[in-house]
Amino acid sequence: MTKNDRWLVWLFLAPAVVLVAVLMYYPMLGTVIESFYSTSFINPDPKFVGLEVYRRIFSQQEFGQIVVNSLLWTMGVVLLQNVLGFFSALLLNQHLPGQGLMRALVLLPWVLPGVVAAIIWRFMYDPQLGLINSFLISLGVSDTGMAWLADTDTAMLSAIVAAVWKGFPFSTVVFLAALQNVDEEQVEAAIIDGAGPLRRLVDIVLPSIREVAMINLVLTTILTFNYFDMIWVLTRGGPQNATHIFPTKIYDLGFGQFRFGDAAVYGVFSILVLVLLIALYFAIQRSSRPRVARA
Amino acid sequence: MKRTLLAATAIGFSTGAALAQDQVTIRFWDNQQTESGLSEYQRAAVERFEAENPDINVEVTTIPYPEYQQRLLTAVQGGNAPDVSSLDQIWMGAFAEAGAVVPLDEMAAEANVSADAFFPGAWESAIYKDQLWGIPFNVDVWFFSFYNKALFEEAGIDPQSTVTWEGLRAAAEELTGDGRYGIGLFAHRGEDTVVVLNSFIFSNGGRVLNEEGSCALTEPQAVEALEYLASLAPYAPQGILNASSGSMRELFLNGSLAMEFWPALEQPTLKNSDLDWDFVVGHAPEGKTPVGAYGGWNLAIYESSPNKEAAWRFIQFMTREDVNGDVVDLIPANVAAAESFLEENRVGPDRIMEHLNNAKPRPLSPRYLEISDIQVTLAQDIYSGMDAAEAAEKACGAIDGLN
Amino acid sequence: MRRQTPRTRFALMGLQTGLAVIVLLPFFWMISVSLKPASEPFAIPARLWPEDPTLANYISAFRPEFQVYFLNSVVVSLSTVAITVTLALLAAYVFTRAQMRIVGIIMLLVILAQMFPASAIIIPIYRMMRAADLLNTYASLILAYVTITLPVAIWMMRGFLARLPVTLEEAAAMDGAGPLRAFFEIVLPLCRPGIVATAVFVLIVTWQEFLFALSFTSTRDMRTLPVGMNDFIGQYGIRYGELMASSVLISLPVIAVFLFLQRQFVAGLTAGAVKG
C-alpha cells in the first residue's frame, strides 16, 4: 500500500472500526458514566455522586476478595492450561501411532459449548452422585469423598481444573503449530552434538516458541478473566464468595440484585485489573527478552 | 402459537363483535411451567379468554425460570416491558418502587376483586406501601417435609414424631449411616435456601425484619432456629454449601435420603417415581405450630403498557375461580380454585390448605434481593460452623447497612 | 525423525492414553447420563453406564422447538462467521500493510476492546438494539456476535497476514495492478488457511454464546440452542437426562465441522501464530 491508497485503508478499516466503536466503546463509555451515578432499578432518577460508589466498594472487604479470586482464577487457569497444553503438544508431536486421531480428539473439550461443559463438571463434582468421588471411594483413597465445590478450600481449585480441561486443548493446538515450525536441522545438529532431549528442549525448542507462548498467554488471560459460564454454573461465586470473580459479581449485582451502579463500578475496576495484568506480562517479557532477537 | 392467534382473530372477526381498529394485542409473559402438559391447558385458557373478549389478542411468551428475572429486568430497562406478566412475590417491592408496574387498587375496587377470594399471605405479598401492585396468581409453601416411608419403617420411626424439632433431630440422627442421610439441607445461592431458613425462623416465632423494617435476625427466636438448623448438619449429605433442593431430589429418588423439604409442587415428580412417600406439615419446637414461608407469583400490569384496560381484564380472567386452577402448576392463589385443584391434583389437600392458611410471606422490601443474598451468606455461615448469634449479628449488620 | 527406544515409546503411549482418558471421560459420562431412562435413579456410587439405556431423552430433546433453535443457531452462526472473517481480513490487511501511526493506534484500541466484560456493557447495548427496533431479530445477534468476535479474529488474521511477504504485492503493483486487484488476486488466495482457522474459531465462539442471545431474544421462535437448554432447568430442579441429550445434540454439529476442518484449522494456526 502506498500513500495514494489511503482511501483503501479507511475503506477496509471502516466496518470493523465502526462496529467496535458503536457496540463496544460507546456502551462501555455509558457504563463508565453510569459508575459515577448512584443508580439501581428501584432508583430510576440517578444522582451524580462522583467517586462515591468507587469509594464504598473499594472499602468493602468483599472487593479485595474478588480481586484476589480473579487473579487466582486467571493465573491458575492460564498457567495450568498452558503447561498442560505445552506438554500435550510435545506428546502429540512424537509421531506415535494413533496420533492423527488424538490430535482431533484432544480438541473436543474446547469445541464443547461452555454451558454444557460446566453442567457436566458440576455433575462430575457432585459429592454423592459424581464420578470423581465414586472413583476415589472405589480406589480406597477416601471413605466419603470430598464436597469439592461446597468447601471454601477446594472450590476455586475445582473450578480451575474444570476450566483447564475446557481450555487446554486450544493451547495444545497453538503450541503444536509452533512445534511444527521448530527448525529440524537445528535439532538434528544438536543431536549430533550429543545434546539430550532436555537440553534440546531448553536450548532450541523453548526459545523458538517464545513468541507464540506470549501470544497464547495474553489471549488466554483475557478470555479466562472474562470467563463467566463455568463459575456461574458450578458455584454462582460461592461458597461464601470463595469463587466470585469479576464477571460473576458484575452479573450478580446487575441482574441478580438490580444494582446497576455498583455493577458498573465493578465493570470499570475489572478492566483496570485486567489491563494491569496484561501490562505486567509485557513488562516481564520485555525485561527478559534475549539480546539475540531471532532463534 | 401463531396458529392459535390466527384462530382467535378469526373468531373475533366472525362474531363481528369488534371492528378491526378496536383489536388490541396484549403481551403476556409467564414463568415457564415445568409440569408437562400444563402449557396446553394454558393455551386453551388463553383461547377461551380471546373467545370471551373478541377485541383482545393475547401474545403469550413463557420464559424458563433461570432467565426470567434478567429478561424482565432488561425489558423494563430498555422500555420494552410486556403489558402484563407474572412476577415472583419477592420482586414486587422492587418493581413497585421502580415504577415499572402500576397500582391496581382502583381497578380492583371497581371490579370487586378483593382479598377475601385469595390466601391471606398471597394477597399481602402484593401490597407495598399500602397499595396493591398485583393480583395473586399462584402460591405454595416451602415447608412440606416429604419422607421415604420404607426408610422410616425400617428404622421403626413414626414420621409424625418429626413435627417437633426434637423429634426431627432424633429421627435424622437415627436414619443417618451406611450411605444414607436423615435430612437434606442445602445452602447454595438460591431462593430455596432462604425459604427453608425462614420457615424454621417463622416456626419458632422469629422474623427477618421487624415492624420498622430493621433486621430482626438477632432476636432469640431467630438465633435459636439458626442454631437448630446447624445442629442438623451432621445428618445431611455433605456439600450443603453448594447443594440445592434439586440436587437433593436425586438423592431422595434413589433412596439414600430419608426426608426433604419441598413445596407441594414436588408431588407430581414423586408420583412419577416408584418411591413410597408421604409428607408431614413442617416442624416446630414442642408446643408451637409450624409456619412455612410463602412462595408464589402475582400478576401485574406494566406502567409502559398502552393497553392497561385489556391487561386488567386478562388478569381478572386468569385469577377467576373457574380458570385459575387450569393455568398454574403451583397452587391457585384463588382459594376456591385451590380447593378443587388440591382435591384433584395433590395428596393430602387438607394438610396443604392448613399450611397455606398460616404461612408467612418473605419480607416485602424493594431491597429484598439484597436481603436474600445476605440470608444465603447467613445460611452458609451457620452450616460451616460459625456461631449462630455471631452469624446473625453479621447478617443484621449487612441488612441494616443497606441504604 | 528421531528414534525412540521401545521403552520410551511405551511410556509415551501410556501418557497419550492417559491424556485421551482425561479428555474423553466427561464426554463419556455426558452420553451415559443422556441414555439413562428418567425412571432410573442415579446410583451411588455412580454407574458408568445405565442399566437400561434408552433413546427416550433424545426423542424428547429433539422436540419441535429444538429444530427452531437449531435453525436460528445455524443462521446466526454462519452469518457471523462470514461477516466477521470478511471484516477481520480487510482490517488485518490494513493493519499489517499500512505504515501509519494512527492505524497502529486504532488496532491497539480494537484489540483492547476484547477486555470489556460482556455483562458490564449488555444493558447499554440492549437499549441501542431496542432503539433500533432490532430486538428479537437475527440482526441484533449477528451484529453483537460480529463485534465481540472481531478483535480476536483480527488478531488471528493479522498474525497470518504478517507472514505473507509484501514482495508479491509489490511485484503485482509493478505490473500495474491496483491495490484492490492485488488484494483480491494475490493476497486473498494465499490467505485460505488463515481464513479457515479464523472461521472455525469464530464459529465455535458464536455457537455457544449465551448472554447476548439471552438478552436480545425473548420470543420462543428466536432463541438459539444454548439458551434453549434452559427449557430443561426449572425453578425447582434440572431434568438431567434431557439436558444431557440436548447437550450432545448441540455439540455434535460443531464437533463434526471441527473434525472435518481440523487439519486446515491447525495448518492455519501454524502459518499464522508462529514465529511472531
Side-chain angles (χ1 to χ4, degrees):
Chain A
M1 278 183 192
T2 63
K3 282 251 157 87
N4 300 335
D5 302 332
R6 286 256 162 110
W7 61 274
L8 194 69
V9 169
W10 297 117
L11 181 75
F12 276 20
L13 271 187
V17 169
V18 167
L19 275 176
V20 170
V22 172
L23 287 176
M24 293 189 96
Y25 276 91
Y26 179 71
M28 195 60 224
L29 190 68
T31 299
V32 172
I33 291 172
E34 187 155 355
S35 72
F36 298 119
Y37 284 82
S38 99
T39 45
S40 70
F41 182 61
I42 55 171
N43 180 14
D45 298 314
K47 219 175 47 225
F48 182 81
V49 292
L51 289 172
E52 175 61 36
V53 186
Y54 283 84
R55 212 171 297 132
R56 174 161 54 78
I57 285 175
F58 198 68
S59 70
Q60 285 164 353
Q61 186 203 337
E62 198 185 22
F63 176 75
Q65 199 179 355
I66 279 159
V67 173
V68 171
N69 285 346
S70 295
L71 293 178
L72 263 180
W73 156 259
T74 307
M75 303 216 283
V77 173
V78 168
L79 196 73
L80 289 177
Q81 164 172 334
N82 282 295
V83 168
L84 187 61
F86 176 69
F87 281 105
S88 48
L90 275 184
L91 186 63
L92 295 183
N93 204 30
Q94 299 299 322
H95 305 275
L96 297 166
Q99 200 105 73
L101 180 68
M102 267 307 286
R103 284 186 186 178
L105 286 185
V106 83
L107 260 152
L108 288 183
W110 182 62
V111 178
L112 192 69
V115 184
V116 175
I119 292 171
I120 296 176
W121 275 91
R122 179 168 176 152
F123 212 49
M124 302 259 299
Y125 280 129
D126 190 287
Q128 289 83 33
L129 308 172
L131 210 49
I132 294 176
N133 273 353
S134 296
F135 187 62
L136 291 179
I137 293 170
S138 68
L139 275 186
V141 179
S142 157
D143 288 341
T144 56
M146 303 268 291
W148 299 101
L149 297 169
D151 189 327
T152 44
D153 295 332
T154 52
M156 181 55 96
L157 187 66
S158 307
I160 289 175
V161 167
V164 168
W165 177 83
K166 172 89 172 80
F168 91 89
F170 183 69
S171 303
T172 304
V173 183
V174 176
F175 281 122
L176 200 54
L179 287 177
Q180 285 168 2
N181 277 27
V182 170
D183 192 343
E184 274 305 321
E185 280 173 32
Q186 234 182 331
V187 176
E188 296 295 335
I191 293 176
I192 294 166
D193 288 349
L198 195 65
R199 196 60 285 134
R200 298 197 300 264
L201 186 67
V202 174
D203 285 355
I204 303 168
V205 178
L206 286 183
S208 69
I209 62 161
R210 233 182 107 80
E211 306 248 5
V212 179
M214 185 64 190
I215 291 176
N216 218 353
L217 224 54
V218 173
L219 191 60
T220 48
T221 297
I222 295 176
L223 294 177
T224 308
F225 192 87
N226 284 328
Y227 189 10
F228 167 80
D229 317 10
M230 184 60 84
I231 286 191
W232 190 250
V233 173
L234 287 182
T235 63
R236 292 211 179 179
Q240 289 170 313
N241 284 339
T243 57
H244 236 342
I245 56 172
F246 273 107
T248 55
K249 186 68 187 174
I250 295 167
Y251 183 86
D252 193 32
L253 283 173
F255 295 115
Q257 300 180 30
F258 302 171
R259 284 152 69 181
F260 307 128
D262 293 10
V265 170
Y266 267 99
V268 174
F269 269 126
S270 142
I271 293 174
L272 291 180
V273 172
L274 184 55
V275 167
L276 281 179
L277 191 61
I278 302 285
L280 185 71
Y281 282 177
F282 279 104
I284 293 173
Q285 191 215 20
R286 190 150 299 174
S287 69
S288 65
R289 177 170 295 182
R291 292 257 150 208
V292 195
R294 285 264 180 272
Chain B
M1 193 64 246
K2 282 255 163 62
R3 218 174 307 135
T4 58
L5 283 180
L6 282 177
T9 320
I11 294 168
F13 282 123
S14 61
T15 55
L19 293 169
Q21 63 259 40
D22 292 327
Q23 282 289 169
V24 296
T25 298
I26 54 170
R27 294 191 301 147
F28 168 53
W29 286 12
D30 192 12
N31 176 29
Q32 184 174 314
Q33 318 285 0
T34 42
E35 198 176 321
S36 55
L38 183 72
S39 50
E40 256 165 64
Y41 295 121
Q42 215 166 35
R43 211 170 299 153
V46 167
E47 275 172 47
R48 196 171 135 202
F49 173 76
E50 287 170 334
E52 284 179 24
N53 299 273
D55 53 333
I56 305 174
N57 294 323
V58 184
E59 197 185 289
V60 184
T61 305
T62 58
I63 298 165
Y65 184 74
E67 61 195 64
Y68 195 29
Q69 185 174 331
Q70 183 193 338
R71 276 193 196 282
L72 274 177
L73 198 61
T74 28
V76 170
Q77 282 291 304
N80 191 34
D83 296 281
V84 55
S85 86
S86 54
L87 279 182
D88 196 327
Q89 292 173 351
I90 55 176
W91 304 337
M92 294 307 296
F95 276 72
E97 184 72 36
V101 295
V102 294
L104 303 174
D105 304 80
E106 276 174 38
M107 288 196 260
E110 245 170 66
N112 275 325
V113 173
S114 70
D116 321 335
F118 301 93
F119 289 103
W123 188 265
E124 252 178 73
S125 78
I127 293 180
Y128 173 71
K129 290 191 175 165
D130 297 326
Q131 280 184 299
L132 179 71
W133 300 88
I135 302 297
F137 186 39
N138 57 30
V139 294
D140 212 326
V141 181
W142 205 302
F143 208 31
F144 294 101
S145 300
F146 291 83
Y147 59 86
N148 181 327
K149 276 189 182 171
L151 292 181
F152 271 77
E153 268 164 36
E154 203 182 296
I157 299 170
D158 173 15
Q160 277 309 315
S161 71
T162 63
V163 297
T164 67
W165 281 7
E166 297 71 18
L168 174 63
R169 185 163 45 204
E173 184 176 4
E174 189 65 32
L175 288 159
T176 301
D178 293 333
R180 286 186 185 152
Y181 309 92
I183 185 87
L185 300 175
F186 42 86
H188 79 134
R189 265 170 202 279
E191 211 46 37
D192 43 357
T193 297
V194 182
V195 278
V196 168
L197 193 70
N198 286 357
S199 295
F200 276 91
I201 293 172
F202 295 164
S203 296
N204 195 34
R207 49 199 179 158
V208 178
L209 302 181
N210 62 20
E211 296 81 8
E212 286 85 51
S214 337
C215 178
L217 291 166
T218 47
E219 289 174 359
Q221 297 93 325
V223 173
E224 275 167 34
L226 297 173
E227 273 165 0
Y228 175 75
L229 268 176
S231 77
L232 293 179
Y235 317 122
Q238 69 167 338
I240 297 173
L241 266 51
N242 203 43
S244 64
S245 58
S247 51
M248 290 300 110
R249 168 184 298 129
E250 305 301 338
L251 295 180
F252 190 78
L253 289 176
N254 75 15
S256 45
L257 184 58
M259 189 174 238
E260 183 56 87
F261 322 109
W262 278 305
L265 178 70
E266 191 63 21
Q267 288 195 12
T269 309
L270 297 179
K271 276 181 194 161
N272 282 335
S273 73
D274 301 331
L275 223 59
D276 199 5
W277 56 274
D278 200 352
F279 66 91
V280 298
V281 183
H283 322 271
E286 189 82 56
K288 293 186 181 175
T289 312
V291 178
Y294 247 119
W297 298 78
N298 299 324
L299 293 176
I301 298 176
Y302 287 81
E303 171 62 36
S304 56
S305 166
N307 305 310
K308 296 194 181 65
E309 175 54 34
W312 171 244
R313 267 153 68 194
F314 183 65
I315 288 184
Q316 277 180 274
F317 174 81
M318 293 293 270
T319 54
R320 223 161 66 184
E321 184 189 338
D322 60 326
V323 179
N324 202 188
D326 287 342
V327 290
V328 293
D329 61 351
L330 296 177
I331 299 158
N334 183 309
V335 179
E339 275 161 2
S340 45
F341 174 89
L342 290 174
E343 208 58 60
E344 228 170 279
N345 300 297
R346 298 285 183 266
V347 173
D350 302 342
R351 289 180 280 163
I352 297 176
M353 276 308 261
E354 181 196 322
H355 215 24
L356 279 168
N357 277 316
N358 65 15
K360 283 191 186 166
R362 286 160 279 171
L364 300 165
S365 159
R367 309 292 294 265
Y368 177 76
L369 294 169
E370 291 158 74
I371 296 174
S372 158
D373 193 55
I374 294 166
Q375 283 195 270
V376 168
T377 307
L378 170 64
Q380 298 193 341
D381 282 342
I382 59 160
Y383 287 131
S384 40
M386 193 193 266
D387 175 64
E390 195 185 320
E393 202 69 55
K394 185 179 143 200
C396 276
I399 290 175
D400 292 335
L402 295 173
N403 43 38
Chain C
M1 227 3 88
R2 280 151 281 165
R3 273 168 291 126
Q4 294 145 337
T5 63
R7 255 216 347 260
T8 329
R9 208 172 160 74
F10 190 72
L12 289 173
M13 282 300 287
L15 280 176
Q16 184 172 290
T17 315
L19 186 66
V21 170
I22 292 174
V23 164
L24 294 178
L25 195 62
F27 282 94
F28 176 76
W29 216 39
M30 165 168 87
I31 293 167
S32 159
V33 173
S34 74
L35 293 173
K36 187 183 79 65
S39 58
E40 183 182 325
F42 285 100
I44 301 179
R47 206 178 279 142
L48 268 180
W49 199 247
E51 259 181 354
D52 233 344
T54 165
L55 287 175
N57 291 322
Y58 284 87
I59 294 165
S60 116
F62 196 74
R63 58 225 148 98
E65 289 96 330
F66 181 89
Q67 296 156 40
V68 175
Y69 303 163
F70 184 85
L71 183 72
N72 292 339
S73 275
V74 169
V75 171
V76 170
S77 297
L78 292 186
S79 316
T80 304
V81 167
I83 299 172
T84 300
V85 170
T86 310
L87 298 187
L89 180 64
L90 296 179
Y93 182 64
V94 171
F95 288 147
T96 52
R97 297 297 190 268
Q99 319 248 313
M100 294 154 68
R101 201 179 163 72
I102 175 95
V103 170
I105 295 171
I106 291 176
M107 182 179 81
L108 191 67
L109 287 175
V110 166
I111 289 172
L112 268 179
Q114 190 62 39
M115 298 192 189
F116 299 169
S119 46
I121 53 176
I122 199 143
I123 288 190
I125 301 182
Y126 179 91
R127 288 192 190 126
M128 291 162 68
M129 293 294 177
R130 161 80 187 142
D133 210 10
L134 286 177
L135 292 176
N136 283 317
T137 63
Y138 289 141
S140 64
L141 287 184
I142 295 170
L143 273 174
Y145 290 170
V146 167
T147 312
I148 58 170
T149 52
L150 258 178
V152 177
I154 289 175
W155 196 0
M156 287 179 72
M157 288 302 307
R158 193 198 73 96
F160 188 83
L161 282 165
R163 303 291 116 251
L164 289 184
V166 189
T167 44
L168 289 176
E169 293 146 69
E170 284 167 357
M174 300 274 250
D175 291 346
L180 267 182
R181 225 182 94 197
F183 176 77
F184 282 109
E185 286 181 8
I186 312 283
V187 179
L188 200 56
L190 289 171
C191 281
R192 249 194 57 192
I195 291 176
V196 172
T198 313
V200 170
F201 183 88
V202 174
L203 176 73
I204 287 170
V205 172
T206 314
W207 189 258
Q208 52 180 287
E209 203 286 330
F210 181 75
L211 199 55
F212 285 96
L214 180 63
S215 304
F216 297 164
T217 61
S218 60
T219 58
R220 198 150 273 279
D221 50 357
M222 286 308 299
R223 283 180 203 175
T224 57
L225 286 172
V227 178
M229 302 240 314
N230 269 345
D231 287 351
F232 302 111
I233 305 177
Q235 186 174 4
Y236 309 106
I238 299 178
R239 281 141 72 187
Y240 281 108
E242 283 153 277
L243 187 65
M244 286 297 142
S246 84
S247 299
V248 173
L249 292 177
I250 290 182
S251 312
L252 278 179
V254 258
I255 290 178
V257 168
F258 177 77
L259 291 182
F260 186 67
L261 290 175
Q262 178 255 133
R263 253 167 223 289
Q264 293 174 64
F265 179 67
V266 175
L269 280 179
T270 318
V274 181
K275 285 193 211 153

